[in-house]
Amino acid sequence: MRRQRKSIDVFNISFLDLLSGALGAVIILFIVVPKNEKPVAQKPPQKQEVCVDNSQALDQCQKIVAQQQELIKELNQKLKESIKPKKEDSVEKITKKQDDKSNTNDVGFNFKGKNVAFVIDVSGSMATDDRIGEVKAGLKMLIASMGKDYKVDIIYYPGPNRSSYYSLWGVLQSLHNLKVKEEVYGFLARLTPNGTTPTRAALMYTLDQYSDLSDIVLLSDGSPTKSGTTASPDNIDDIVKQVTTKNRLRKVQINAIGVGAKNFSKSSNLYKFLRNLTKSNNGFFYGF
């Protein structure tokens, strides 16, 4: 009897189950395990723009500055109050003359005393730009501010009728009442520019005429000329020398105000004359 051959199965059902299970596990691992991907570069966080209200900052700065300025003012005030003149021990008595001199700046000028002669140039050039009007207005204000203890007289040059000078009283008059001041105002109002500039004659007259004089105030806009109708220029150095020599013993303080000073330079004869005259006689020199 012929023997039957058995068929050989390479793969059985159990082996197929094992393969399918393994394949499933691999798939699961492939899904679960993260893949080796390139990291994505993250953009740096952008700075947020902050809107600043400049007007508020400016107001705050201004308030701080104002507070600092106020503090500085307070400190300066305290500093001034803390600095007091030291008392000097002295056996010397203060004379009346020194007291008078210390009180003469109450009218805006540092006069030596309170006996003052005003010598006014009324030459033709004083009509330019109404310089004579400025002198009248300025002197009126000055006279009005002077107290009863002041004595004054007004001399102008050239004088009438071809004279070199002319005075209001010829003596120093006390400003003890309003009537005297009004007489001065009226005299000033009548001044009219005309003629030349005989400054030498007017100054010499003033020094000779007033024995109790403390100050002379010369108001002029032009370089001196010789006396008379001639317009020949006078020697300014010789005038300064003559006046200073005559004043050496009396020590009258001779002051000067240059009228229309903005129109002449420091190299002009008028500037040199007024500067040297006042410097040689301990006076002040202003220009306007």
Side-chain angles (χ1 to χ4, degrees):
M1 184 171 168
R2 194 177 178 177
R3 195 176 177 173
Q4 295 182 348
R5 296 180 177 180
K6 292 183 179 181
S7 60
I8 299 173
D9 293 328
V10 179
F11 302 101
N12 57 21
I13 298 301
S14 298
F15 182 70
L16 290 175
D17 291 338
L18 178 63
L19 289 177
S20 62
L23 180 60
V26 170
I27 294 173
I28 291 173
L29 290 174
F30 182 80
I31 295 173
V32 172
V33 176
K35 302 168 182 61
N36 188 20
E37 296 178 354
K38 293 182 179 180
V40 179
Q42 295 183 354
K43 295 183 179 180
Q46 296 181 352
K47 295 183 179 180
Q48 296 182 353
E49 295 182 359
V50 180
C51 182
V52 179
D53 190 353
N54 292 331
S55 62
Q56 293 181 356
L58 180 60
D59 291 340
Q60 186 176 4
C61 290
Q62 289 176 343
K63 290 180 180 179
I64 294 174
V65 171
Q67 292 174 356
Q68 294 295 329
Q69 290 177 343
E70 188 66 25
L71 180 60
I72 291 172
K73 287 175 64 177
E74 292 179 0
L75 291 176
N76 286 335
Q77 184 64 29
K78 291 181 179 179
L79 181 62
K80 290 180 180 179
E81 293 175 355
S82 63
I83 300 176
K84 296 180 181 179
K86 296 181 179 180
K87 295 182 179 179
E88 298 180 357
D89 296 331
S90 175
V91 296
E92 295 180 0
K93 294 182 179 180
I94 301 174
T95 62
K96 183 177 182 299
K97 181 178 180 180
Q98 290 173 325
D99 287 335
D100 290 342
K101 185 175 181 179
S102 65
N103 293 328
T104 55
N105 58 1
D106 55 353
V107 294
F109 293 102
N110 190 20
F111 294 129
K112 177 184 177 181
K114 297 190 176 183
N115 296 342
V116 186
F118 296 96
V119 183
I120 306 172
D121 174 6
V122 294
S123 59
S125 60
M126 288 291 284
T128 305
D129 298 328
D130 193 29
R131 294 172 185 171
I132 190 64
E134 294 179 355
V135 169
K136 292 177 181 180
L139 278 183
K140 185 175 180 180
M141 292 178 62
L142 179 57
I143 296 296
S145 67
M146 287 180 164
K148 297 179 180 180
D149 49 348
Y150 277 90
K151 293 182 179 181
V152 302
D153 196 11
I154 310 294
I155 303 98
Y156 70 84
Y157 68 97
N161 303 322
R162 299 185 179 182
S163 60
S164 296
Y165 47 81
Y166 188 83
S167 62
L168 172 56
W169 296 301
V171 295
L172 295 175
Q173 186 69 263
S174 174
L175 300 176
H176 58 280
N177 58 38
L178 182 59
K179 184 177 180 180
V180 176
K181 291 187 176 184
E182 288 178 345
E183 190 173 353
V184 175
Y185 303 154
F187 184 77
L188 291 173
R190 295 190 294 271
L191 297 182
T192 304
N194 186 39
T196 56
T197 317
T199 310
R200 183 198 298 260
L203 289 173
M204 296 302 292
Y205 162 79
T206 305
L207 287 172
D208 286 333
Q209 183 67 21
Y210 307 94
S211 59
D212 53 347
L213 193 62
S214 66
D215 291 82
I216 293 175
V217 180
L218 174 65
L219 300 98
S220 179
D221 77 328
S223 185
T225 59
K226 295 180 179 179
S227 297
T229 58
T230 178
S232 301
D234 204 347
N235 188 318
I236 58 175
D237 294 330
D238 189 58
I239 297 174
V240 173
K241 181 179 179 180
Q242 183 180 4
V243 172
T244 304
T245 300
K246 190 174 186 64
N247 190 37
R248 181 171 291 121
L249 296 178
R250 296 187 56 190
K251 300 186 183 303
V252 175
Q253 181 174 304
I254 301 179
N255 315 290
I257 297 177
V259 185
K262 60 184 179 181
N263 296 321
F264 59 82
S265 65
K266 293 184 178 181
S267 61
S268 66
N269 284 340
L270 178 59
Y271 182 89
K272 292 178 180 178
F273 169 64
L274 296 180
R275 172 61 67 190
N276 293 337
L277 178 66
T278 54
K279 185 177 180 180
S280 299
N281 293 274
N282 301 315
F284 57 75
F285 171 41
Y286 300 116
F288 70 90

